[in-house]
Amino acid sequence: MPIDPLVVRAHGLWEHLAQVPVSFAHPGGVNVVVSSRSGLCPVGWVGVVALGGSAIVTAPSDSAARIVRDALGRLPVEAVVDSALVREALPVARVLGPAAPSYVSAAGFRPAETGALAVEQLSAAHPDLRSLERVTGHEDAGEAALDEITSPAFIVREHGQVVAAAGYRAWPRRTAHIGVLTAPQARGRGLARVTGSAAVAHALAVGLLPQWRARPPASRRVAAALGFDELGSQLSIEIA
C-alpha cells in the first residue's frame, strides 16, 4: 500500500525535531530514544508523537528512557498518546496534551469563502495584535503564539478593532506552523476559518507544508473544514 505523502513529510519533521537519530517504527511500533534537546516536548520532559500508526518517544536521560520503555512498550500505539492510560503506566507529575497535528496539501486545501469580510495583513509586531492577545487572555494567546509568527498576520477587523488573526511560524523541514486567534465575542462566526485560510494559502504559495496542531475541538473543526487531515497525536509528559 502506498504511503501517504503527508505522513512521510510529517514523519520527517518530527524525526528532525527529536534532535537525535530516530525513525518511526513499523506500523504498531514505538521507538524510544534519549534526547536532552528534544523539540517534541519541554526541556526535561518525555515527548511522544504518534503518526501514521507508529510512534517515537524522546526521554531526557537514560534512566527516564528505561522507565518509559518498560511502561509504554507494553501499550499499543494509540495508547501511548492517551493521557489517562499513560498516567496509569508511568509516575506522572504533569501532562500536556494530547494535541492533534494535522496537515494539508495544496490539492486537499479547501479555502474559506470570505464573503463581505475584508482580510488585511499586518506585521507580527503590530500593536493591534497585542491588543487582540490581551482581549483573548494569556492561555489562548500563548496557544496561538502570534508573537512568534514569521509570516504576515492575516486579520479581520470590526469597528476598527482586530477580532481575528492568523499566521504561521517557519518550522524545520519547510513546515508552516499555523496559529489562529479570535476574540471571545467574535467566536462561532467563521472568522478563524477565514483568517486561517489566508495563512494556509500563503504558506502553500511559497511551498511550505501547513501544520495545524490543536487541542480544543473547535480548533480541530476549523482545521478539518479547511481540508487538514489529522494524522496522529502529540503528548508531553513530566515524570514524577
Side-chain angles (χ1 to χ4, degrees), residues 36-214:
S36 61
R37 300 179 297 110
S38 172
L40 275 59
C41 55
V43 175
W45 289 41
V46 172
V48 186
V49 176
L51 287 172
S54 61
I56 58 173
V57 181
T58 59
S61 65
D62 289 329
S63 59
R66 284 194 296 271
I67 293 171
V68 171
R69 285 193 188 98
D70 289 344
L72 301 189
R74 301 190 299 268
L75 299 177
V77 169
E78 60 272 15
V80 301
V81 284
D82 184 315
S83 58
L85 294 176
V86 167
R87 286 182 182 277
E88 294 177 2
L90 286 170
V92 172
R94 286 183 291 171
V95 172
L96 297 177
S102 302
Y103 303 87
V104 70
S105 65
F109 177 45
R110 297 194 292 268
E113 295 290 339
T114 59
L117 293 172
V119 179
E120 305 173 33
Q121 291 188 29
L122 298 178
S123 72
H126 199 285
D128 286 356
L129 290 181
R130 307 291 82 80
S131 297
L132 174 63
E133 290 170 334
R134 286 191 292 273
V135 168
T136 55
H138 177 74
E139 184 175 350
D140 287 349
E143 182 76 16
L146 293 181
D147 58 330
E148 299 177 4
I149 61 174
T150 54
S151 73
F154 300 88
I155 65 100
V156 170
R157 294 182 187 271
E158 286 186 348
H159 308 296
Q161 303 299 311
V162 175
V163 293
Y168 63 81
R169 179 158 52 103
W171 273 32
R173 297 298 181 96
R174 296 190 59 74
T175 302
H177 183 67
I178 307 293
V180 179
L181 190 61
T182 306
Q185 75 276 12
R187 291 174 184 171
R189 293 160 40 199
L191 300 185
R193 185 164 53 179
V194 168
T195 55
S197 178
V200 172
H202 188 278
L204 289 170
V206 294
L208 303 180
L209 172 67
Q211 172 182 262
W212 193 295
R213 188 182 58 174

